[in-house]
Amino acid sequence: MTYAENLWLFFTLLFGIIIVPGMDMVFVLANALTGGRTSGLSATAGIMAGGVLHTLYAALGVSVVLHLVPQLFNLLLVAGAAYIAWIGFTLMRSSIIIGGVEGGARLTHWASFRQGALTSLMNPKAYLFMLAVYPQFLKPQFGPVWSQAAVMALMIAVTQLAVYGGLALAAGRGRDFIVGTPAATVAIGRAAGFLLLVIAAFTVWQGWGGAS
């Protein structure tokens, strides 16, 4: 697998996760509906900042493993792939329906940013997901881990901006779609789940050979 193919696979996995309606998406929509587009974009920026910090600790963890105990890399990779597959299986069996997207009191732009960052940083599933995903795509044969992590951090931020920022700019339509079309949100979740299962199988197959 080339570096470009590795990045495309990472982007496919990333996009499949971000488009599934969840806490981050609802938080952005609630802020946009309460405080307008700029408030929604501020919340998006906060979530992006949290994602960058997640990227830093995940890259650090992989670097430590590769440096101190390289023999554990394959086991970490398999464990991560199993976790991704479990997420995929769970999504395929689930029926994701958002019953309502209601905003509370109007927040300042700084408060929206701060709460967006905290929403991202305080989500324990995000920590597990990042530690599971990164060993699949940060590979020594593609150069320094930090340079690869920087590229992936940029990809995460741009994808979050495109999806969440797009919803913030079209908050009313985004709210109507998520709340008013439960069949669509269920389909999105199950399609993303299938995608994760495929990627988990493919990455462990490719990664085990590359890491050996």
Side-chain angles (χ1 to χ4, degrees):
M1 180 187 295
T2 66
Y3 182 50
E5 291 171 339
N6 186 66
L7 288 180
W8 272 112
L9 190 61
F10 174 74
F11 172 73
T12 303
L13 172 63
L14 174 68
F15 185 74
I17 287 294
I18 289 178
I19 63 171
V20 175
M23 182 171 59
D24 288 346
M25 186 177 290
V26 171
F27 179 76
V28 169
L29 282 175
N31 275 268
L33 292 171
T34 302
R37 294 176 177 177
T38 55
S39 182
L41 290 175
S42 296
T44 299
I47 291 170
M48 291 166 60
V52 169
L53 291 178
H54 281 306
T55 302
L56 291 177
Y57 79 71
L60 178 62
V62 172
S63 297
V64 169
V65 169
L66 287 174
H67 180 70
L68 297 179
V69 196
Q71 296 83 0
L72 289 180
F73 186 77
N74 281 350
L75 294 178
L76 186 62
L77 186 149
V78 172
Y83 179 68
I84 293 172
W86 178 78
I87 295 175
F89 180 72
T90 302
L91 284 174
M92 287 190 68
R93 296 185 61 191
S94 68
S95 297
I96 299 173
I97 297 176
I98 305 298
V101 181
E102 301 296 337
R106 180 169 180 169
L107 301 176
T108 65
H109 295 159
W110 167 243
S112 295
F113 174 88
R114 185 177 66 250
Q115 289 192 14
L118 289 175
T119 296
S120 176
L121 290 174
M122 295 179 67
N123 185 354
K125 292 183 179 179
Y127 288 88
L128 291 173
F129 180 74
M130 294 300 289
L131 290 174
V133 168
Y134 263 64
Q136 321 296 314
F137 300 99
L138 290 176
K139 300 179 180 180
Q141 64 265 35
F142 294 145
V145 169
W146 287 106
S147 64
Q148 296 181 57
V151 172
M152 291 184 185
L154 179 61
M155 293 175 66
I156 291 172
V158 171
T159 305
Q160 288 176 326
L161 178 61
V163 175
Y164 298 146
L167 284 174
L169 292 175
R173 294 178 182 177
R175 184 268 315 275
D176 293 341
F177 175 79
I178 290 177
V179 176
T181 55
T185 58
V186 169
I188 289 173
R190 292 180 178 176
F194 176 75
L195 183 66
L196 293 185
L197 287 173
V198 172
I199 290 177
F202 184 75
T203 53
V204 74
W205 175 62
Q206 288 282 344
W208 186 273
S212 298

